[in-house]
């Protein structure tokens, strides 16, 4: 089944066309990496897909439920708020700079949304949080506050926070770009672990080696378009000069 | 002269000063938040009105505003002013004035919040209300504590302005006693009172700041 379907997505910022015509489907269990030069629209794609940004035209569908659709005249209609609220539960997003809630402990960062947004019972939320902390190697950080953690630990907490809502699909926007090089490994390890568990993920990353070994599919973006997509082998052996040049830099 | 008797005489004035202080904060802190929402509203009219309001309140003397609130109903509408309205007028005047200052403090605090906090909350599914009251406001409170402390300490001293419409707060009483007994002592007692009051307020605010130091 297609968990995510994007058709002809367009987005601009005051005259600048940032996403030109993006179409993309993601199936259950797939790991898709998005690579491409800075400014090519990778973050904007994720922000439109997670509805932090409104696209101008196109269709956005999660698990067959339409979040937004083109009106056929160059505009886009979003579903009513109540529908969007439900559809939003299908996905989670991990930010480059974590955006943890600094006034909440690690534990509260993880259990608060399930209880107050997901309407999960307190016991259930705590059970999930305990499991996630164990799984992500954070069991001794339960009562710490984000400011007391390293960047790598903070990013792992933010992944736990997203997972606690049990999304069907998880987006990552350069999850290791804000980290010191020696801390990227622990975060990549967690993402690898999720891939083994068949979590559906879309990962914007500059970690080429990581994308190559982990992804089912790699998407190369440039100037607001998907220039090429394919298996890691296809992309890394690409005949497209732009792709080769980009990959060659890493 | 008996110091205890003097303090007894000044006592009711002290109570009124404290009442003005407490009631002003009680009304102006929430009102300031509401005004700051108007000031940041998408609605241009609302934004302009609150902007003018804040600028008037900060740009004219509080003493004058107290007189307007007290005498206004008579001069504008011919309503007869009763003596019991005095205290109400003081509280209304103080609350309206301090709300304007607090509104600007709230606004700067709210606008200093990183947009990432809103985005994280939105993606996690928090409603706008939840986002504001659970995620944003607690962090804003921590950020604005120092400027709020400044205002609160100013308020302690400002309570003496109630004398302009003859509300017998501490300072009014001290003046009366001093004149009757031709002595400076009541003023010294008044000074000590304000100093201790402020000292207690500052200590309390410091305690709050300490309590919020558990995160950065
Ligand atoms: N909120 C915004 N307002 C104006 N321009 C923006 C905004 N967000 C992104 N852009 C522009 O869109 C382009 C693509 O940005 P982005 O999606 O962040 O690229 P990437 O993540 O691939 O580096 C850039 O030129 C950027 O300046
Ligand atoms: Mg980006």
């Amino acid at each position: 089944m297609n968990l995510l379907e994007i058709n002809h997505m367009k987005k601009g910022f005051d005259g600048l066309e940032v996403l030109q015509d993006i179409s993309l489907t993601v199936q259950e269990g797939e790991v898709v990496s998005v690579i491409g030069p800075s400014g090519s629209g990778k973050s904007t794609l994720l922000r439109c897909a997670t509805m932090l940004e409104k696209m101008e035209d196109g269709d956005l569908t999660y698990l067959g439920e339409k979040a937004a659709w083109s009106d056929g005249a160059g505009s886009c209609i979003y579903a009513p708020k109540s529908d969007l609220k439900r559809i939003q539960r299908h996905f989670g997003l991990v930010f480059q700079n974590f955006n943890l809630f600094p006034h909440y402990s690690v534990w509260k960062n993880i259990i608060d949304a399930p209880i107050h947004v997901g309407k999960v019972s307190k016991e259930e939320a705590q059970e999930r949080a305990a499991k996630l902390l164990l799984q992500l190697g954070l069991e001794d950080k339960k009562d710490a506050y984000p400011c007391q953690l390293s960047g790598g630990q903070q990013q792992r907490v933010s992944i736990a926070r997203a997972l606690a809502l049990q999304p069907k699909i998880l987006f990552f926007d350069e999850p290791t770009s804000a980290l010191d090089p020696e801390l990227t490994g622990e975060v990549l390890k967690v993402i690898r672990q999720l891939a083994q568990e068949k979590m559906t993920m879309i990962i914007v990353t500059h970690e080429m080696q990581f994308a190559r070994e982990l992804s089912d599919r790699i998407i190369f973006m440039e100037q607001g378009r998907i220039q090429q997509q394919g298996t890691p082998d296809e992309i890394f052996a690409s005949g497209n000069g732009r792709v080769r040049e980009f990959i060659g830099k890493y | 002269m008996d110091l205890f008797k003097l303090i007894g005489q000044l006592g009711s004035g002290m109570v009124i000063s404290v009442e003005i202080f407490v009631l002003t904060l009680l009304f102006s802190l929430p009102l300031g938040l509401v005004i700051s929402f108007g000031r940041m509203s998408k609605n241009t009219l609302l934004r302009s009105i609150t902007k003018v309001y804040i600028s008037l309140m900060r740009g004219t003397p509080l003493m004058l505003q107290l007189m307007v609130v007290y005498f206004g109903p008579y001069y504008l509408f011919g309503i007869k002013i009763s003596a019991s309205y005095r205290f109400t007028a003081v509280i209304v005047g103080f609350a309206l004035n301090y709300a304007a200052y607090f509104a600007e403090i709230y606004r700067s605090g709210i606008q200093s919040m990183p947009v990432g906090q809103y985005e994280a909350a939105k993606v996690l599914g928090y409603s706008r209300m939840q986002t504001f009251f659970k995620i944003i406001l607690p962090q804003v409170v921590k950020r604005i504590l120092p400027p709020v402390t400044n205002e609160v300490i100013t308020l302690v001293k400002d309570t003496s302005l109630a004398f302009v419409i003859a509300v017998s707060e501490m300072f009014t009483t001290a003046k009366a006693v001093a004149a009757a007994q031709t002595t400076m002592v009541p003023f010294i007692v008044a000074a000590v009172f304000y100093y201790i009051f402020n000292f207690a307020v500052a200590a309390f605010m410091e305690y709050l700041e300490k309590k919020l130091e558990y995160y950065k």
Side-chain angles (χ1 to χ4, degrees), chain A residues 191-215:
Chain A
I191 300 174
R192 236 179 238 122
Q193 202 179 315
L194 292 172
Q196 272 154 22
E197 292 164 17
K198 289 285 155 222
M199 181 78 204
T200 312
M201 295 185 283
I202 298 187
I203 309 165
V204 173
T205 184
H206 289 296
E207 301 279 341
M208 291 303 145
Q209 223 25 63
F210 171 75
R212 181 174 201 171
E213 72 192 54
L214 188 80
S215 317

Side-chain angles (χ1 to χ4, degrees), chain A residues 13-14 16 18 36-45 53 173-174:
Chain A
F13 292 107
D14 12 77
L16 179 72
V18 173
S38 167
S40 57
K42 305 180 298 295
S43 294
T44 307
L45 170 61
E53 211 78 66
D173 193 357
E174 300 196 28

